[in-house]
Amino acid sequence: MYAALNTPGCPVEDRGMLDPDIDKGRLELLYSQLARILLQLSMPSLARIGSLSQIDKFTWDVTRRPLTMNMSELVRIGGLPQSKLPDLNATFDTSSSYMEALANINIEHLVHQRNDSVKSADDCRRKFVARQLFRKLARENKLTNPLLEKGPFRIWCDDLWPANVLLSENPTKIAGVVDWEFIYAAPVEFSFAPPWCDEGEDTAIQQGLLREDQRLSGPMYESWESGDFWIMYAATHSFAFDEIYWHKIDPRFFGPTKDKDLEGVEGAWKERLCLLDDEGKEEMELLVARKWMGMDTRALSWDPDEYTLAVHEQLKSQEKAKVENILEESMDSEPTHDETE
């Protein structure tokens, strides 16, 4: 499906771009089928958050921590020791406890990533404050819907994208989906975050495959309008966390900065320092000192090869470009429900 949607002649090493000349009818057919796959994933209900294990021929259950693509990438190329992930046998019975675990991972990533990943002492402080406040919001149950705190939780796959969708000989018909290693039960807010999936709902309801109260389009629209979409994106995309937090999450929960001399998002962390306790401020300065002491030696938590470093830089660049595009689009025009349909 990726090849079918991509602009012809787009270099393999470049991020794919939707073919501007693609037939609209063909595009709608492919998107509506993919929407139905998302709907099918969102229907089963599970009591805990985590990875699925097969119990017997007909039964699956949540038995271990989620294996997410973000966790994998942080360990593989982000310098995060695997020991800093949640315990292998840990599962989560509330959305807020899982969001706090993800917040902790982002803090550990800042601590253990390469020391030259921060541009200055203040850049280190800005990143530290963002991660601490995100965890504070998670602990206060402000990042998820209290009514959905204890589930039921839904199946989610981090790697469900066109490159893993196979087409049949008929180029407008999906034959199947591959690469399910990053599938797990997640907070329902993950399923409620766009992309839009209202196409196909009416047909599924008419066929008795979907109930009216299982529609995703309404909650997805609300997620975009409220900004919940950005929370889920920040929690699951560590390499894009800072851009999202300071542009979309911090203003929502803590309001605009009052001091115009703080240079926008670059200096907003200074006004948020009062939200950290003395222990947090001391921890921040110790981290800054440790980063700067190791700057000359460029000490790493492991010794990556040139390929790994190149992939790491490429991933950061791609995530930044993706977030900047979404931010620009969200500022230019807030979509209406009709427009997204």
Side-chain angles (χ1 to χ4, degrees):
M1 187 173 177
Y2 180 91
L5 298 177
N6 199 13
T7 300
C10 181
V12 176
E13 63 273 13
D14 290 352
R15 179 186 173 198
M17 298 292 291
L18 180 64
D19 181 1
D21 298 321
I22 192 170
D23 179 75
K24 186 177 179 180
R26 182 187 183 196
L27 184 64
E28 289 180 349
L29 277 173
L30 291 173
Y31 277 9
S32 63
Q33 292 173 77
L34 193 56
R36 286 196 287 272
I37 292 172
L38 288 176
L39 285 169
Q40 291 178 54
L41 288 176
S42 71
M43 291 170 65
S45 299
L46 297 132
R48 301 183 69 82
I49 295 170
S51 291
L52 302 169
S53 296
Q54 188 167 5
I55 306 304
D56 55 43
K57 187 175 181 179
F58 302 102
T59 309
W60 293 74
D61 199 6
V62 174
T63 59
R64 292 189 173 189
R65 72 168 181 234
L67 173 59
T68 73
M69 179 176 286
N70 191 55
M71 292 178 187
S72 176
E73 292 299 279
L74 288 177
V75 172
R76 187 173 71 92
I77 60 175
L80 181 70
Q82 190 169 338
S83 61
K84 297 303 179 181
L85 297 176
D87 183 80
L88 183 62
N89 295 315
T91 59
F92 304 87
D93 57 7
T94 63
S95 295
S96 59
S97 64
Y98 181 57
M99 294 297 287
E100 183 178 347
L102 296 182
N104 286 332
I105 290 174
N106 276 336
I107 292 174
E108 293 292 349
H109 178 221
L110 176 63
V111 172
H112 291 279
Q113 66 186 152
R114 299 179 64 203
N115 289 337
D116 60 356
S117 61
V118 294
K119 298 179 289 187
S120 65
D122 276 358
D123 183 48
C124 184
R125 294 184 180 101
R126 181 172 67 93
K127 292 179 177 179
F128 181 88
V129 170
R131 285 155 178 76
Q132 290 290 328
L133 294 184
F134 191 81
R135 183 170 65 179
K136 171 182 170 65
L137 292 170
R139 287 175 172 174
E140 294 173 353
N141 298 355
K142 293 182 178 179
L143 297 181
T144 50
N145 186 340
L147 298 178
L148 304 172
E149 171 74 350
K150 295 186 177 181
F153 305 110
R154 307 298 184 185
I155 294 178
W156 178 256
C157 181
D158 287 337
D159 206 18
L160 181 57
W161 69 300
N164 289 335
V165 178
L166 307 180
L167 301 183
S168 67
E169 292 182 359
N170 179 347
T172 62
K173 185 176 181 181
I174 291 179
V177 182
V178 297
D179 288 355
W180 292 100
E181 66 267 39
F182 297 113
I183 191 170
Y184 53 96
V188 70
E189 287 89 346
F190 283 34
S191 296
F192 288 172
W196 300 89
C197 296
D198 46 347
E199 287 191 55
E201 288 180 336
D202 291 339
T203 301
I205 290 173
Q206 292 170 4
Q207 294 175 346
L209 303 176
L210 186 75
R211 299 193 311 269
E212 186 69 33
D213 61 357
Q214 291 178 312
R215 286 183 181 270
L216 288 182
S217 53
M220 284 183 171
Y221 179 73
E222 294 171 3
S223 176
W224 178 261
E225 288 289 291
S226 67
D228 287 350
F229 161 80
W230 295 107
I231 294 174
M232 303 307 130
Y233 200 95
T236 55
H237 294 76
S238 294
F239 295 104
F241 177 84
D242 295 279
E243 288 284 329
I244 299 170
Y245 177 82
W246 289 113
H247 281 94
K248 291 296 184 179
I249 299 176
D250 187 84
R252 173 181 173 182
F253 290 99
F254 301 112
T257 53
K258 300 176 183 178
D259 191 341
K260 295 182 180 180
D261 295 330
L262 291 181
E263 301 176 357
V265 298
E266 293 296 324
W269 65 269
K270 298 176 183 177
E271 198 166 291
R272 306 304 187 211
L273 275 178
C274 61
L275 300 174
L276 301 186
D277 56 24
D278 291 340
E279 182 179 351
K281 295 175 184 177
E282 181 180 354
E283 183 181 349
M284 178 179 69
E285 294 305 325
L286 287 173
L287 176 62
V288 171
R290 187 162 69 250
K291 290 286 185 184
W292 246 243
M293 286 175 62
M295 186 63 75
D296 292 337
T297 60
R298 293 166 59 91
L300 307 179
S301 58
W302 40 262
D303 185 22
D305 56 30
E306 291 183 2
Y307 172 77
T308 302
L309 290 176
V311 172
H312 178 266
E313 292 304 316
Q314 182 183 26
L315 181 60
K316 285 203 303 183
S317 177
Q318 289 175 345
E319 286 291 350
K320 183 177 180 181
K322 187 189 303 181
V323 171
E324 287 176 348
N325 287 337
I326 300 175
L327 285 170
E328 184 177 349
E329 291 172 3
S330 69
M331 292 176 183
D332 288 345
S333 61
E334 292 295 336
T336 66
H337 200 177
D338 291 339
E339 287 173 345
T340 54
E341 290 180 351

